[in-house]
Amino acid sequence: AIASLIRRLTAEMGKTVLVIEHDMHFVRELACPITVMARGAEIARGSYEEIRRNPAVIECYLGRAA
């Protein structure tokens, strides 16, 4: 329901919403550009699929390269 509300706010009302979330299932539901940060610095930016496959994101959050 929250993802649906956020999508509606952006599509119908032109609002920008900042979401800080680690639940990737929820992030995927948002269907929006993603920025990944680690230690205060941006390490990746892109779609859900791009982020999911990004070696820097995998290394940082899973501790190993894919």
Side-chain angles (χ1 to χ4, degrees):
I2 302 251
S4 177
L5 173 62
I6 291 170
R7 284 193 311 270
R8 196 169 85 233
L9 285 171
T10 59
E12 296 175 12
M13 301 180 83
K15 301 295 181 184
T16 298
V17 180
L18 173 65
V19 177
I20 300 170
E21 182 59 67
H22 291 93
D23 178 345
M24 292 305 288
H25 295 290
F26 176 76
V27 171
R28 184 180 200 175
E29 286 185 45
L30 293 175
C32 64
I34 299 168
T35 300
V36 178
M37 298 185 74
R39 297 179 194 91
E42 180 180 312
I43 62 168
R45 184 182 292 209
S47 69
Y48 174 83
E49 289 301 321
E50 291 169 327
I51 295 301
R52 188 174 76 88
R53 294 187 184 112
N54 184 295
V57 174
I58 293 168
E59 178 69 27
C60 184
Y61 285 94
L62 299 178
R64 59 180 168 74

